[in-house]
Amino acid sequence: MNITELETCCPECKSSLVDDTSSGERVCSMCGVVVMEQLADYGPESKSSSLEERFKLTRASGQTTFSQHDLGIATEISISTKDYSGKTINYQVANQMHNLRKWQQRVRVSSPRERRLANVLSVIGATCQNQSLSDNVLETAAKIYRSLDSHMEVKGKSVACIAAAVIYMACKQCDVVRSLEEICAGTGTSKDLKMKTKLAAKYYRTLVMELGSVTAPVITMDKYISKISNLTNTDVRVERLALEIAEKTKDSNVADGKAPNGIAAAYLYIGSILLGQNVLQRDVSSVSGVTEVTIRNRCKEILSNYKLNLTLRPSFAKN
C-alpha cells in the first residue's frame, strides 16, 4: 500500500481517517489504528475568539492591506528586551537591534514618493481611528489616494487636507454619513479648522474632476436623522416619528437648497416636541453642526407648509 492510500484510508479496515488535533495524530474512524503521527499544524499560533485576533495570530500572515505603503507584507523588528526563547538580551545586542530597526525604517521609505505615501497613509489611518470609521472606509480611502499618482500632482499639498478629502470621498462611496468639517477636526488640532475645511473642499472638487464621476450611493434624510438621534441619545420613539414626518414631506421643496443636517435636526426637534421629550436645541445644534436659529427657521418652514394631525391614544388607569 502506497503513501497516498495511507493518507486517505485505513490500512486495516479501509475506513476513513480522522485528524486528532489535540494529540497531532491521524487515526481510523472505525478501528482506531494510528495511521500517522506528528501532523503538521498549519493553523494559528494560538486559539482566539475574535476575527481580528485570529488574523493577527495566523502563521506568516498573508493578509495584505492598502492602508500601509508596503501593503503590510514587510517584516518588522519589534521593540523587545528578550529574545525568541524568553531570555534577556544584553545592552550590546539591544543597541545593535536598535540600529537595525532604524535602518530598516529608512530603507522601507527610501524614495521621496514612498515617504510621502507613508506619511499620508498614516494620517488617513489615524483619522479613521479617531472618527471610528470602519476598515472598509480606510481601505477605500487608501485605494483612492494610491490612484492619484497618474491623475494629479499631490506634491506640495497639505497632508491633512488631502487625507481629509480622500476620506470624505471614501465615506460617500461606502454610504457613511460624515461631514467634511468632522473629518478635518479628526486629522489633528482644531486650529484654523475653517481654513482646513475650505482647503479640503477644494481638494475634494479636484478629486472629483480628475478621477471622474464615481457612482456613490445617495445619502438620504434617514441617515442624517439616525446619526443625530444616536449622538444625542434621543428616544427611539422620537426618531421613528421624525422619520415618519420626513417620509410624509419628502415630495416637497422644503429641503431644496438647504443643508440636510439642518432639516434633519428640525425633524428630530419637532418629533421631540410632539412626544413631550426634553430635547434641547443646544444639544441638537452642537451635534448637527448648525445654529439654533437655523433649526428654528427650518421648523417654521416645515410647520407652515404642512398640517400635522395627531391622534392621541387614551391611557387607561390600572387597578
Side-chain angles (χ1 to χ4, degrees), residues 30-59:
M30 292 296 294
C31 60
V33 175
V34 179
V35 180
M36 186 180 297
E37 298 179 357
Q38 297 181 357
L39 293 175
D41 187 10
Y42 300 99
E45 296 290 343
S46 61
K47 296 181 180 180
S48 59
S49 57
S50 62
L51 183 62
E52 183 179 358
E53 293 295 330
R54 192 176 304 169
F55 278 122
K56 290 181 180 180
L57 298 175
T58 52
R59 297 179 185 270

Side-chain angles (χ1 to χ4, degrees), residues 2 12 38 57 69 96 163 243-244 316 319:
N2 54 23
E12 300 294 336
Q38 297 181 357
L57 298 175
H69 74 283
Q96 184 180 4
L243 292 173
E244 185 177 356
F316 299 96
N319 296 327

Side-chain angles (χ1 to χ4, degrees), residues 269-290:
Y269 185 71
I270 291 174
S272 64
I273 294 298
L274 293 178
L275 293 179
Q277 299 292 330
N278 187 15
V279 177
L280 300 178
Q281 289 185 5
R282 181 177 62 254
D283 299 337
V284 181
S285 172
S286 61
V287 170
S288 59
V290 296

Side-chain angles (χ1 to χ4, degrees), residues 228-284:
I228 298 174
S229 177
N230 293 332
L231 293 177
T232 55
N233 296 325
T234 310
D235 193 1
V236 181
R237 297 179 300 168
V238 177
E239 181 181 356
R240 291 178 180 175
L241 181 58
L243 292 173
E244 185 177 356
I245 297 174
E247 180 67 22
K248 297 293 184 180
T249 60
K250 67 179 182 180
D251 296 332
S252 65
N253 55 357
V254 176
D256 293 346
K258 300 178 180 63
N261 51 352
I263 300 293
Y267 282 133
L268 197 65
Y269 185 71
I270 291 174
S272 64
I273 294 298
L274 293 178
L275 293 179
Q277 299 292 330
N278 187 15
V279 177
L280 300 178
Q281 289 185 5
R282 181 177 62 254
D283 299 337
V284 181

